[in-house]
Amino acid sequence: MLRMPTAGTPYLFSDILAAATGLLFPQKSLRNFRNRLQDYLNVENIALVNSGTTAFYILLKYIVNLRKNKKQTQIILTNYTAPSLFLPIQKAGLECIVADISLQDFNIDADKIEPLINERTLAIMPVHMFGIPTNIDKIIALGQKYNLFIIEDAASSLGSKMEGYPSGTRAEFGFYSLNRGKNISTLAGGILTWKDPRHSKGISLYLNQIPKLNRLLELKLFIKFLALVLAVRPFFYTLLYPMIAKHKYSSLHDTFHSFAFTGFQAGLGAKLWNRAATLTQARIENGKQLINLFENIDGIQIPRSEFTVAYNQFPILIDDLAKRSELEIELLKAGIETSHLYEKTLHQIYWKFIKNSQQSFPQSQYLADHLLLLPPHPQIRNRHIKIISQCLNKIFT
Ligand SMILES: Cc1ncc(COP(=O)(O)O)c(C=O)c1O
């Protein structure tokens, strides 16, 4: 029985050739990829770095430099998100304040933000979790009212749209991840964007401090990419599973490294963007099919969104934890991997550091405890949706 991984961009042989060309002609490939992204996101100001974490860190360093008052050290963000976001916040000398989520769209509850704003607040960061755009109009309005920076974390929502805008492009600053589990992946990578060209000079100061990988390290990264090409294919994923499992992220990082985006990643990225629309559409359609399956099941909650969602992972909340385990096991027996993602909220993981960790966050707590993620990636076909439906019927009838 073949095992379907939870995430992964399917690569073609021609993608490998494009990546190799990027290795040989880095400058041209980087220019080309940046142009593709500018068109796709409809944003003029774009930079590429080694990860979403680095992209976020640079934006943080930049806004710290712009702040009017040194007391402003607090970043407000959702209590259920990638724990790694804490690291750049800490490294930039800032603090986290968390807000509970809404069980409507599993993102930050905008109504919970205003009571957290005070003279120490520097920025609000709406995170578009699972690929689902946060409705950020309210958040942008709060930013204007209290003169705060807004940084959109669209790390996992590349391809999603809100009212025609690509997610990540409504606020002044935004960033995306091209890491291996993301909607479109160049093995690793981060894109940062800003609207006002007046920020370009200041942001470049930080970008210019980032070291370039030497050729040997870039070659090593390229070889890792070749391994990823195999690892995302169900046949090799199943065959090599014991080895691949060792390379899955299983523990929290306590540090991150920053370096420049490489030529081979740019060559690969530019090539992948030829089929970005198709890859994105597959996620959108699979998401719709999964909504149809799960929307009327007693004891299961799914997110509701008015936007176009290119799901990175499809999240469901199962009330009865015994049934969650049964469904997981049933799906795995049928070759479909699922995940719990992060089993804890930020306020539980970083309780020592998060200023308001004494408060209660019932909705994000519930989500962390009851979450099951299903794969909506482009390798999921109708036959997989049928299998998911059969497993679901076995447990929930
Ligand atoms: C919501 C969110 N933000 C930021 C990041 C960090 O991106 P990267 O892994 O490219 O550093 C991730 C990665 O998992 C993420 O899911």
Side-chain angles (χ1 to χ4, degrees):
M1 161 85 59
L2 289 187
R3 207 178 161 121
M4 178 61 79
T6 49
T9 304
Y11 300 101
L12 308 174
F13 183 67
S14 53
D15 296 332
I16 303 176
L17 291 183
T21 311
L23 200 61
L24 298 175
F25 305 104
Q27 289 316 325
K28 189 168 168 225
S29 305
L30 284 161
R31 247 190 337 267
N32 194 6
F33 186 34
R34 253 195 309 267
N35 290 343
R36 298 301 300 264
L37 290 172
Q38 280 167 329
D39 288 346
Y40 186 80
L41 297 172
N42 198 17
V43 173
E44 192 56 36
N45 306 303
I46 272 185
L48 288 159
V49 287
N50 70 315
S51 68
T53 308
T54 296
F56 180 38
Y57 178 62
I58 288 176
L59 292 172
L60 286 175
K61 291 285 282 180
Y62 178 64
I63 63 168
V64 164
N65 211 22
L66 286 190
R67 70 187 164 183
K68 302 237 162 52
N69 181 344
K70 283 218 160 76
K71 266 195 193 161
Q72 290 180 287
T73 52
Q74 298 184 345
I75 310 288
I76 299 176
L77 78 163
T78 174
N79 192 31
Y80 189 86
T81 187
S84 57
L85 288 173
F86 175 77
L87 301 177
I89 293 177
Q90 192 184 43
K91 192 167 169 179
L94 301 171
E95 299 167 320
C96 265
I97 299 288
V98 289
D100 208 356
I101 62 156
S102 152
L103 288 179
Q104 179 69 22
D105 64 0
F106 299 3
N107 279 316
I108 196 166
D109 181 344
D111 293 332
K112 302 260 166 66
I113 296 175
E114 196 160 9
L116 300 174
I117 296 175
N118 61 53
E119 55 172 11
R120 303 182 72 89
T121 311
L122 175 65
I124 309 172
M125 183 164 81
V127 184
H128 306 300
M129 278 300 288
F130 312 111
I132 306 164
T134 312
N135 192 343
I136 65 164
D137 286 348
K138 264 192 188 166
I139 298 175
I140 289 179
L142 283 175
Q144 281 162 354
K145 182 170 168 190
Y146 293 98
N147 205 9
L148 303 172
F149 295 102
I150 311 287
I151 300 177
E152 268 182 78
D153 175 345
S156 42
S157 66
L158 198 57
S160 296
K161 286 204 165 148
M162 3 185 180
E163 291 148 10
Y165 288 86
S167 84
T169 63
R170 287 290 287 276
E172 181 58 47
F173 302 101
F175 71 94
Y176 303 83
S177 167
L178 300 167
N179 206 347
R180 59 198 196 202
K182 295 298 186 266
N183 283 5
I184 298 182
S185 168
T186 54
L187 178 69
I191 307 165
L192 57 148
T193 68
W194 58 100
K195 282 200 169 144
D196 190 333
R198 281 175 298 182
H199 299 308
S200 302
K201 201 168 156 209
I203 290 178
S204 296
L205 289 179
Y206 295 104
L207 287 170
N208 292 340
Q209 288 170 19
I210 293 186
K212 281 204 173 102
L213 279 194
N214 66 37
R215 296 300 271 172
L216 187 64
L217 288 175
E218 187 177 352
L219 198 63
K220 265 193 176 167
L221 216 57
F222 179 71
I223 292 167
K224 261 195 183 174
F225 161 64
L226 297 181
L228 182 70
V229 172
L230 293 183
V232 295
R233 294 282 174 187
F235 177 76
F236 292 102
Y237 185 72
T238 311
L239 195 70
L240 305 173
Y241 187 74
M243 235 166 69
I244 294 171
K246 282 192 205 149
H247 290 88
K248 290 195 171 201
Y249 300 124
S250 55
S251 58
L252 284 180
H253 302 280
D254 51 16
T255 180
F256 67 97
H257 299 288
S258 296
F259 49 89
F261 198 70
T262 65
F264 98 74
Q265 289 171 305
L268 171 63
K271 173 71 175 34
L272 284 176
W273 245 259
N274 291 339
R275 55 181 203 286
T278 318
L279 292 170
T280 301
Q281 197 54 34
R283 289 182 181 275
I284 296 170
E285 293 306 324
N286 284 336
K288 284 183 187 160
Q289 298 222 48
L290 290 168
I291 290 173
N292 286 341
L293 284 190
F294 287 98
E295 69 182 343
N296 292 318
I297 310 279
D298 272 350
I300 295 188
Q301 289 185 62
I302 59 167
R304 310 278 169 178
S305 177
E306 57 191 286
F307 304 120
T308 306
V309 186
Y311 286 93
N312 179 243
Q313 306 266 18
F314 187 80
I316 62 173
L317 303 182
I318 304 182
D319 208 24
D320 180 338
L321 291 180
K323 282 195 172 173
R324 181 176 76 159
S325 302
E326 284 175 49
L327 183 60
E328 274 179 272
I329 293 167
E330 207 56 49
L331 284 166
L332 194 57
K333 278 200 280 182
I336 310 274
E337 257 191 27
T338 55
S339 138
H340 294 171
L341 198 61
Y342 321 117
E343 310 238 9
K344 289 189 174 149
T345 61
L346 288 191
H347 92 290
Q348 289 177 303
I349 302 172
Y350 295 113
W351 56 274
K352 265 194 197 165
F353 303 100
I354 288 180
K355 288 285 152 197
N356 60 338
S357 65
Q358 302 307 324
Q359 290 174 10
S360 72
F361 303 94
Q363 325 271 35
S364 39
Q365 187 72 67
Y366 182 83
L367 183 128
D369 292 341
H370 294 264
L371 183 65
L372 189 69
L373 293 179
L374 293 138
H377 56 72
Q379 295 192 88
I380 295 289
R381 301 286 154 78
N382 283 343
R383 66 175 189 282
H384 301 109
I385 302 282
K386 261 195 199 134
I387 293 173
I388 296 173
S389 168
Q390 284 158 1
C391 295
L392 181 65
N393 289 336
K394 265 195 196 168
I395 315 286
F396 284 84
T397 42

